Amino acid sequence: LGDGWFKPQNRWGERPREPPGYDQPTARQESRSTSSASIGNALLAGPLPAPGLLDALHDDDWKVRRSAAEAMYAMSEPAAVPGLVEALLDKNDVVRQAAAGALEAMGAVGVSGLIESLRNRDGHIARAAADMLNRIGTPEATAAVQQWTSRGTSKLDERKTR
């Protein structure tokens, strides 16, 4: 088999060359990195407006979504709670962890927004909010989860009797 077996070669026995700029990031990748880094840099300068961060939670790049959740971690902005609850269902585990950390760090500040999220029509979002309220564990949070759970149980009982 020899040394050339594992090396890709063209029909003339030459190794194929990579196109110019092959190892350089594309313009889109570079702009995403810049966007993610700018969120982190702006955090050091001071709080960002929540609407811009909420938009970043829906970005295509998971690094941007993660940076937005981490920025909200430092801000403890109650307006960010619904977006962070949705981010708990993100397809990327790192984003979900950042959102959970931000909500947990908010503590009592985020409880009212999480309680509001219990009313969301999407059962997955409501369940994620209930889980975070249980983790926060304040009396208000615990009571809201108990009420939400009993309401869900009574709805199931109604369906069984029909």
Side-chain angles (χ1 to χ4, degrees):
L1 296 175
D3 290 338
W5 178 254
F6 294 105
K7 297 177 186 172
Q9 299 176 347
N10 62 17
R11 64 183 172 167
W12 298 284
E14 299 172 339
R15 289 182 52 97
R17 287 186 243 155
E18 303 296 348
Y22 176 78
D23 57 345
Q24 301 298 318
T26 64
R28 179 183 164 113
Q29 290 169 332
E30 197 163 307
S31 72
R32 295 288 181 200
S33 296
T34 305
S35 176
S36 178
S38 67
I39 290 173
N41 291 338
L43 225 186
L44 298 174
L48 294 173
L53 287 175
L54 291 174
D55 291 342
L57 284 174
H58 299 289
D59 196 272
D60 292 337
D61 187 352
W62 70 268
K63 293 175 188 172
V64 173
R65 296 191 310 270
R66 180 207 56 209
S67 294
E70 288 173 348
M72 290 179 194
Y73 178 93
M75 291 177 54
S76 290
E77 178 68 40
V81 172
L84 287 170
V85 171
E86 285 182 39
L88 290 173
L89 304 174
D90 195 276
K91 61 187 171 195
N92 187 290
D93 188 43
V94 176
V95 176
R96 290 192 306 267
Q97 290 174 357
L103 285 166
E104 204 166 359
M106 285 183 184
V109 172
V111 168
S112 62
L114 285 167
I115 290 172
E116 189 64 33
S117 294
L118 291 175
R119 296 186 189 101
N120 195 303
R121 289 178 185 230
D122 184 341
H124 297 292
I125 291 177
R127 169 51 55 201
D131 290 343
M132 285 311 304
L133 285 167
N134 279 329
R135 286 174 80 177
I136 291 171
T138 63
E140 181 186 10
T142 305
V145 171
Q146 287 173 348
Q147 183 181 15
W148 177 75
T149 305
S150 66
R151 186 178 52 208
T153 306
S154 66
K155 286 183 181 178
L156 286 175
D157 292 340
E158 286 176 20
R159 289 181 189 159
K160 288 180 184 176
T161 58
R162 289 183 189 173

